Amino acid sequence: MRFLLVEDTDELAQAVASRLALEGHGVDRAATLADARDLLRAAPYDLILLDISMPDGDGRDFLAQDRAAGGSVPVIMMTASASVNDRVTTLDRGADDYIVKPFDFAELLARCRAVLRRHAGAADSLRRFAGFTYDPLGATITVGDETRELRARELRLLEILLSRPGQAYSKAHLIDRLFSFDEMVSDNAIEVYVGRLRRKLEGSGARLETLRGVGYRFFPE
């Protein structure tokens, strides 16, 4: 998944971005709300982590403006205030969730997973298909009696493909979704992850097709 991290404190931003990258997410960081607006216009994001107190404004106002303009990317607000009123205001402005600073990274990751599941309409963490069962929390695919572990970017690639089965995805689009602007990657990187995912799906009946000159298309069953 590709995250937009809107945070002006360098130390915290670097720590969050590093942890999310270890989980296989691409992360772009904006140090101001103006930078965040530019990044939202330039790339597709799956989740926004948004600080309330930014140098050029209030993150809640930014969120309200984004929602009024039709923005639908899920948002987790990061706040130093634990007051009920502030949390209620945050949610009323359109946030999907919030987390109070200082926070544990395990909690942040759990909230990210929960918001992404809700956004995808998946109440049950297990997703069952004709030939395999996918567990995003456990990062596994089970084919028959065999459970196969997914590496971080294999997991993110599968989530993207499962979001719209049968849709053609170009390599450029997958790179945009899997990697941040700071990561230098080539088309070959996508080929590597596609090849690994195919091997994990062997025997399931799922088809991850290569469309020459176009990209890839996935049929889970």
Side-chain angles (χ1 to χ4, degrees):
M1 296 293 175
R2 188 167 183 174
F3 287 18
L4 174 59
L5 172 62
V6 187
E7 169 61 58
D8 63 316
T9 304
D10 289 339
E11 185 176 359
L12 177 59
Q14 291 170 6
V16 172
S18 295
R19 185 58 185 269
L20 290 172
L22 285 175
E23 296 294 315
H25 300 292
V27 184
D28 293 318
R29 184 259 181 127
T32 66
L33 296 177
D35 289 344
R37 291 186 186 95
D38 290 340
L39 287 168
L40 280 172
R41 285 191 289 265
Y45 291 98
D46 299 289
L47 182 65
I48 300 171
L49 298 175
L50 177 60
D51 189 17
I52 285 181
S53 300
M54 296 294 292
D56 55 343
D58 189 311
R60 289 168 297 194
D61 294 335
F62 172 89
L63 174 59
Q65 292 163 8
D66 177 72
R67 293 297 189 243
S72 60
V73 179
V75 173
I76 297 177
M77 297 294 297
M78 300 184 295
T79 174
S81 173
S83 77
V84 173
N85 286 339
D86 282 347
R87 284 180 282 172
V88 169
T89 300
T90 296
L91 295 171
D92 283 344
R93 292 288 184 93
D96 295 86
D97 200 356
Y98 62 86
I99 190 166
V100 178
K101 299 178 183 178
F103 49 76
D104 185 89
F105 285 117
E107 180 186 1
L108 176 63
L109 292 171
R111 289 182 179 274
C112 290
R113 290 192 296 267
V115 167
L116 288 168
R117 285 201 308 274
R118 290 201 303 269
H119 190 68
D124 183 354
S125 63
L126 292 180
R127 301 186 64 182
R128 298 171 179 84
F129 301 91
F132 70 97
T133 298
Y134 165 50
D135 180 3
L137 297 183
T140 61
I141 291 173
T142 300
V143 179
D145 296 327
E146 182 181 356
T147 297
R148 304 163 183 175
E149 294 186 359
L150 295 170
R151 295 182 180 180
R153 284 212 166 97
E154 297 166 5
L155 174 68
R156 307 310 166 203
L157 175 59
L158 179 59
E159 288 177 341
I160 293 167
L161 295 172
L162 282 173
S163 66
R164 289 183 175 84
Q167 176 175 308
Y169 286 94
S170 68
K171 290 182 179 179
H173 179 86
L174 293 175
I175 287 172
D176 280 345
R177 295 286 299 276
L178 287 170
F179 301 94
S180 68
F181 285 121
D182 293 335
E183 297 175 281
M184 301 298 294
V185 296
S186 67
D187 289 353
N188 291 338
I190 294 297
E191 293 174 7
V192 169
Y193 290 116
V194 167
R196 290 176 180 172
L197 184 56
R198 279 198 179 111
R199 288 192 289 274
K200 299 292 174 67
L201 289 163
E202 284 180 357
S204 69
R207 306 194 321 274
L208 178 45
E209 299 179 347
T210 298
L211 305 175
R212 297 198 178 278
V214 178
Y216 302 97
R217 184 169 55 192
F218 184 56
F219 297 95
E221 50 191 1

